[in-house]
Amino acid sequence: MSAIEAVLLDLDGTLLPLDTDAFIASYMEDLVAHAVGWGMPIDGKALSDAIFRACLAEIENTDSTLRNSEVFWCAFEGLTGLSARAYENHFDRYYGEPFASLGKAYAAEPICRDLIALLRQKRKRLVLATNPLFPRNAIEARLCWAGLDPNDFEWITDFDNAHFTKPHRAYYAEILDVLGLPAESCVMVGNDGGEDIAPAKSLGMGTFFVEEYPLREGLVHDACPRGGYADLLRWAGQL
């Protein structure tokens, strides 16, 4: 087996301890509440539904010529009849202070900071392989909630630089292309058997399943290393 050169790490439920479904619910409620003040001619439920369906369009997209952000805004316009250009700045400002304030509900896991420090000490190339449905500032805000520095990562997938989402194999293939590495020299760390573990493994990557906030655990293969945060740190020490 090739030596591990790069470690891909999921964010929500992995580096950032949170229940993803609960977080999405509170985030959508907060976003809709702020959107009322933007004067959008659409009610809260219709806006929430449009955002959800536009995100679904990103997930379903297989056109490698389109960035996720292009797919999202095209779908959003089609669903609402509203101009993306007219409201894009409002969304961008929301992902500043209003969105960042949601982080008060979450506590960083010190072991995750130790993990990143250890991997950097070992000179591993680090990728934040978070599902790229969000703009960069929203991802960096969640990294801050986790007590981590965006500069620790060589590459961070976001909806402006990625053309696919999880669980597509193409999402991981695009990261490999950016790194210029074969799958065998990379390992994916995540808490979702369907989005993190299975597709990465299918390309030939190594994997580690984080059991703290497990999702789709039934899709994790028997030979996959797994465990809680302390187990993850010990495993990383052996890379």
Side-chain angles (χ1 to χ4, degrees):
M1 180 177 178
S2 302
I4 296 300
E5 296 184 48
V7 181
L8 286 60
L9 299 123
D10 175 54
L11 180 56
D12 299 327
T14 301
L15 292 178
L16 176 61
L18 55 71
D19 179 294
T20 302
D21 290 340
F23 161 66
I24 292 297
S26 62
Y27 149 65
M28 286 301 302
E29 181 180 358
D30 188 67
L31 174 58
V32 168
H34 278 83
V36 169
W38 304 345
M40 299 181 76
I42 184 173
D43 66 42
K45 185 180 185 308
L47 175 61
S48 179
D49 288 346
I51 292 172
F52 175 80
R53 291 171 65 187
C55 286
L56 186 60
E58 292 180 71
I59 293 170
E60 293 175 343
N61 177 59
T62 58
D63 186 342
S64 63
T65 68
L66 297 175
R67 291 176 288 116
N68 291 345
S69 56
E70 294 175 298
V71 175
F72 176 89
W73 287 117
C74 180
F76 182 82
E77 287 189 338
L79 290 163
T80 64
L82 301 175
S83 166
R85 186 179 298 276
Y87 293 99
E88 192 170 2
N89 287 339
H90 288 291
F91 280 93
D92 189 58
R93 285 194 294 272
Y94 168 77
Y95 288 117
E97 180 56 34
F99 180 80
S101 67
L102 295 178
K104 297 173 183 176
Y106 307 104
E109 170 52 62
I111 290 179
C112 291
R113 292 196 292 266
D114 294 341
L115 172 70
I116 297 302
L118 174 62
L119 292 172
R120 284 176 57 82
Q121 182 182 1
K122 287 177 165 287
R123 299 186 182 280
K124 303 302 181 185
R125 300 171 66 181
L126 300 183
V127 174
L128 186 68
T130 182
N131 210 4
L133 300 172
F134 286 91
R136 181 63 170 258
N137 50 358
I139 293 170
E140 291 189 352
R142 299 202 319 281
L143 270 175
C144 287
W145 303 350
L148 301 174
D149 186 341
N151 293 320
D152 286 336
F153 298 88
E154 177 178 336
W155 187 251
I156 296 174
T157 59
D158 62 47
F159 90 157
D160 281 315
N161 67 21
H163 298 80
F164 304 98
T165 67
K166 299 176 182 181
H168 294 293
R169 284 162 48 100
Y171 165 76
Y172 292 95
E174 187 169 39
I175 293 173
L176 294 176
D177 186 58
V178 168
L179 296 177
L181 292 174
E184 294 77 14
S185 66
C186 302
V187 61
M188 175 66 197
V189 176
N191 69 311
D192 192 320
E195 293 195 347
D196 300 322
I197 305 303
K201 182 66 177 178
S202 73
L203 286 174
M205 292 187 195
T207 54
F208 186 100
F209 181 64
V210 181
E211 297 179 323
E212 301 285 350
Y213 295 86
L215 296 171
R216 288 172 275 269
E217 192 170 359
L219 296 176
V220 180
H221 52 91
D222 293 340
C224 177
R226 59 194 296 162
Y229 288 126
D231 301 306
L232 173 59
L233 187 63
R234 283 192 291 269
W235 168 83
Q238 300 170 2
L239 289 178

